[in-house]
Amino acid sequence: MIDLVPDNWKPALATVLAAPEAQALDAFLRAEDAASKAVYPAREARFRALDLTPPDSVKVVVLGQDPYHGPGQAMGLAFSVPDGVKHPPSLRNIFSELESDVGVPRPASGDLTPWARQGVLLLNTALSVEQGKAGSHAGRGWEAVTDAVVDAVARGEAATVFVLWGSHAQAKAARIPALRSGRHLLIESPHPSPLSAYRGFFGSRPFSRANAFLEAQGRGTVDWRL
């Protein structure tokens, strides 16, 4: 699995990828392939979030649960779908909050790559999923890998915004001790899925709050337009 990790993230992940949890994860994923199960995203896209957002450029970490589990949806960026793919309900709700929060009209494309290129690390807690089975790869070892990513960002000197959507993401809050000192900003809310968006995701204003913090820290804002 280490061969899929971008070189600039390898120092942060080398130890965890050599650990038993990652070895078990790798064996599990190979077994899924051997059983001809449809797993998303494709193997080469599973670390795409790290490819597009180097560690020294991270301004915002957006944490979700796991990739979309429908054909043609998952592309290795949390909540993002390729251009031309119908927006899943969670993404529609994200775009609704984006419009309400900062006045950005709902975009035609659901590809969030422009955010990633500006330093928004779009990370799920698990980086793969079986077709049609949300949460199917949770607890298989991905959490140790994504813990290491969060740890690396949290240890950095640069002030960063951590946006944690849903209980799986919020479980990582304890890994960010600098939050207690005020060096980073934590924005927590329910997941943007239709099941929970009305319980506090809508009205949470993550986009304007992130930019206000980044601007105050002299890090420059994110252009949320797509």
Side-chain angles (χ1 to χ4, degrees):
M1 194 182 303
I2 190 70
D3 60 305
L4 299 175
V5 176
D7 288 344
N8 48 23
W9 280 100
K10 282 180 180 175
L13 299 185
T15 299
V16 70
L17 291 179
E21 296 92 337
Q23 302 303 312
L25 169 64
D26 197 44
F28 166 74
L29 293 172
R30 292 181 186 279
E32 295 283 273
D33 290 342
S36 299
K37 292 184 179 180
V39 174
Y40 305 129
R43 183 175 183 270
E44 62 272 13
R46 289 173 191 164
F47 289 99
R48 188 159 187 257
L50 304 187
D51 280 326
L52 293 176
T53 312
D56 60 358
S57 74
V58 177
K59 294 181 178 181
V60 180
V61 179
V62 173
L63 272 170
Q65 180 176 332
D66 55 3
Y68 295 124
H69 53 80
Q73 294 179 316
M75 56 181 293
L77 301 176
F79 302 104
S80 182
V81 293
D83 191 27
V85 173
K86 182 180 178 181
H87 300 174
S90 293
L91 186 58
R92 291 201 299 269
N93 287 339
I94 290 169
F95 287 162
S96 179
E97 178 64 17
L98 177 68
E99 184 174 33
S100 173
D101 184 11
V102 293
V104 172
R106 302 184 192 195
S109 175
D111 186 349
L112 306 182
T113 296
W115 292 359
R117 294 194 186 282
Q118 293 181 76
V120 181
L121 182 61
L122 297 162
L123 188 71
N124 283 308
T125 57
L127 302 186
S128 63
V129 69
E130 184 180 347
Q131 178 178 313
K133 297 182 179 181
S136 53
H137 289 189
R140 293 290 187 170
W142 277 124
E143 290 81 2
V145 177
T146 53
D147 279 353
V149 174
V150 170
D151 289 350
V153 177
R155 287 195 304 265
E157 293 298 319
T160 304
V161 181
F162 290 84
V163 181
L164 312 184
W165 286 338
S167 58
H168 285 79
Q170 289 164 16
K172 294 199 188 292
R175 309 194 67 84
I176 314 170
L179 291 170
R180 293 192 289 272
S181 69
R183 189 167 93 236
H184 301 315
L185 173 66
L186 176 65
I187 300 174
E188 293 182 273
S189 79
H191 194 277
S193 77
L195 296 175
S196 56
Y198 286 95
R199 300 175 188 166
F201 172 77
F202 289 132
S204 60
R205 300 175 55 243
F207 307 100
S208 61
R209 291 166 64 192
N211 271 353
F213 176 80
L214 291 170
E215 187 170 28
Q217 299 295 322
R219 297 210 64 198
T221 58
V222 175
D223 183 352
W224 296 108
R225 295 172 297 179
L226 291 169

